[in-house]
Each structure stands twice: as C-alpha cells, then as structure tokens.
Amino acid sequence: MSSTFLHGGNVFANGIRQHYLRYGPGAGSAGERSTRPAIVLIPGITSPAITWGFVGEVLGSRFDTFILDVRGRGLSSASDTLDYSLDAQADDIAAFVSALDLDAFSLLGHSMGARIAARAAGRIERGLRSVVLVDPPASGPGRRPYPSQLPWYVDSIALARKGMDAQAMSQFCPTWTFEQRQLRAEWLHTCDERAVLASFKGFHEDDFFADAARLNVPSLLVTAERGDVVRPEDVDELQGATPSMLHTRVPDAGHMIPWDNEAGFYAALGDFLGAPVSLRKPA
C-alpha cells in the first residue's frame, strides 16, 4: 500500500509556530482532489499529530488532509507562559487556515479537538464548508464531569518524560495494539502538562453546547457506542439546538474511535466530507 503522506511543515500563525502533517492523493488525482474541500484534523488532549497518521493515510487517499499539533503538543509551540485556553486554540485554527490560504475546507475534531473546532467555526471568515465533531466531551458548566480522570493523563505524561516503552504504556492503554502504544510512548512527552491541565479544566468550564448551537455550516456528530463521553440525551440536546446536525454512533468503539473500530469510523463519515473513504487493501 503506497503512502499518501506528503510532508510535514510549520507555519507562524496567531503568534506561534504551528506544526502539521500533510497527506493527499498522488499527482494523478490532483484535479479530482481540488474539487473537494481539504480536511483540517484537530486531535485530542494528549494526541500529537503523528498519532493520527494512520487516519491521515486513509483520508489522504481522497482529500488534501492537514493534521495539526495543537499548541503545547507535538512540535508546535509550547512554553511556561503560553495561553492554553480554548479561545487561544480556536484562534490558532482560524489563523492556520488563513496562513495556508485554504479556499475550501472542513474541520474534523476529536474529543478536545471537536470542542476547538466548534468554537473556531465562529471565528473563520471564509472557506469553512462543514464540521465533524468526533465524541466531544459533553461536560461543561452545570453538567456531569468528564469521565476520564486527570491522573490518567498527568501520570502517563510524567512517565513519558522519563522514558517509557509500549509495555509500560499498556497500564494506561491496555486494549491498544503494540504499535499504537509504542507510538504514544514515543510522543507523549511532547504534551506540555500545563496545556493538558488547562484543557481538562476547560472541559468543565467551557460551554461546548453553546458553541455547537451556533454552527452555521453542515455538521456531523460521530459518537462511540461504548464509554460515557456522549450519552443519547446529549445527542438529543445537540440536535435539538441544531436540527440540521447529523449523527452516527460507531459500534464496538470507545472514545478513541479509530483505534477501536477504524473501518466503522470511516463508515460513519460516509460521504459527508464530499467522498467516502475506507480502509485500503495492500497493493
């Protein structure tokens, strides 16, 4: 199976260095690709861009795809004084798509990334065609807490900073494959603990439901069958506020949907982004 990885890159946007990985079809498909919106993929709270590379490989077969390192993760800017608020992260997205001069694009965010996408949508002046919200934390002011516990993140990051391998990572991600755990063990140390603490706090203080209700482009909510991140009543509330919002629940998957059921994740996207994608068979 040939790779769709094109290159990594950095742009200076919203006052910081933003690192991304780019995937896309080969030169023979350039014309077809240009008729579809690009995809800007925003990962979750402790997921550097490279950990979503396997998804980028598949999306890249049909779309020009950019996977971001959110500030404080991966190779993007991080510091003891950097603003790690949701507002700053949303401004990053608006500045990123402007810096790359993307004419037409969709935002696809997972978990924290979905909350960033929902807020960023209201700050993007042109080019945004649709938004995909993948298992966004339904916590917030006056709502139930996010089901994952903070020590799960903090303790694993602390071990990663010292150095850990796939075996050590198994205590945190016991259902993941060896390759998935090894990649996380390699890159988790790049997640700034301040960034994670700020984002986790934001899960309980930022009003995602208000951001989602203000979406004025087509939207798709993708949720996991297992876990307690998005409950059926949350889906009802989100669709009640935005009746045009579509919803698909992925079977046999927990919060890290593509890790648990990759084929089901692509099936859930359908042709919402402009063309269907699926797992490719080796050549």
Side-chain angles (χ1 to χ4, degrees), residues 184-202:
R184 184 171 177 82
E186 179 185 358
W187 281 88
L188 185 59
H189 76 93
T190 69
C191 294
D192 186 343
E193 183 177 307
R194 287 185 61 251
V196 175
L197 292 173
S199 294
F200 191 85
K201 182 180 180 183

Side-chain angles (χ1 to χ4, degrees), residues 47-233:
S47 295
I50 196 169
T51 63
W52 277 80
F54 70 103
V55 175
E57 290 281 4
V58 176
L59 294 178
S61 67
R62 305 300 293 275
F63 303 93
D64 201 1
T65 302
F66 301 83
I67 307 180
L68 301 187
D69 273 328
V70 178
R71 61 169 58 202
R73 287 88 174 171
L75 301 181
S76 288
S77 290
S79 78
D80 291 340
T81 59
L82 197 61
D83 181 0
Y84 288 125
S85 67
L86 180 60
D87 283 330
Q89 293 168 333
D91 287 340
D92 285 345
I93 303 304
F96 178 83
V97 297
S98 178
L100 268 63
D101 197 26
L102 297 180
D103 292 326
F105 57 91
S106 298
L107 300 181
L108 190 162
H110 171 253
S111 192
M112 176 193 75
R115 292 171 71 111
I116 295 172
R119 182 156 295 189
R123 303 176 181 213
I124 295 172
E125 297 181 353
R126 66 176 183 87
L128 181 61
R129 297 292 184 264
S130 64
V131 174
V132 180
L133 307 170
V134 182
D135 225 39
S139 48
R143 299 180 182 275
R144 69 183 185 280
Y146 183 61
S148 294
Q149 300 299 306
L150 186 58
W152 187 89
Y153 301 104
V154 175
D155 293 350
S156 60
I157 292 172
L159 287 175
R161 282 199 302 266
K162 294 178 180 178
M164 65 190 307
D165 58 14
Q167 180 59 36
M169 185 58 71
S170 63
Q171 65 179 298
F172 299 97
C173 309
T175 65
W176 290 21
T177 67
F178 175 87
E179 291 77 10
Q180 290 167 348
R181 288 184 280 112
Q182 186 63 43
L183 191 61
R184 184 171 177 82
E186 179 185 358
W187 281 88
L188 185 59
H189 76 93
T190 69
C191 294
D192 186 343
E193 183 177 307
R194 287 185 61 251
V196 175
L197 292 173
S199 294
F200 191 85
K201 182 180 180 183
F203 285 175
H204 302 89
E205 296 181 353
D206 296 316
D207 193 346
F208 164 71
F209 283 79
D211 290 333
R214 287 190 286 266
L215 290 173
N216 58 6
V217 295
S219 57
L220 170 64
L221 176 67
V222 178
T223 61
E225 181 181 63
R226 301 198 307 267
D228 196 36
V229 176
V230 185
R231 295 176 179 175
E233 57 267 30

Side-chain angles (χ1 to χ4, degrees), residues 1 6 10 47-48 53 122 142 144 149 175 187 224 245 248 254 274 280:
M1 182 174 63
L6 298 176
N10 297 278
S47 295
R144 69 183 185 280
Q149 300 299 306
T175 65
W187 281 88
M245 180 181 289
T248 304
R280 297 174 296 159

Side-chain angles (χ1 to χ4, degrees), residues 233-263:
E233 57 267 30
D234 301 321
V235 176
D236 291 342
E237 183 177 350
L238 288 165
Q239 291 187 304
T242 309
S244 62
M245 180 181 289
L246 304 176
H247 171 244
T248 304
R249 192 171 288 277
V250 180
D252 303 318
H255 182 56
M256 302 299 287
I257 295 175
W259 280 253
D260 293 335
N261 185 354
E262 187 179 358

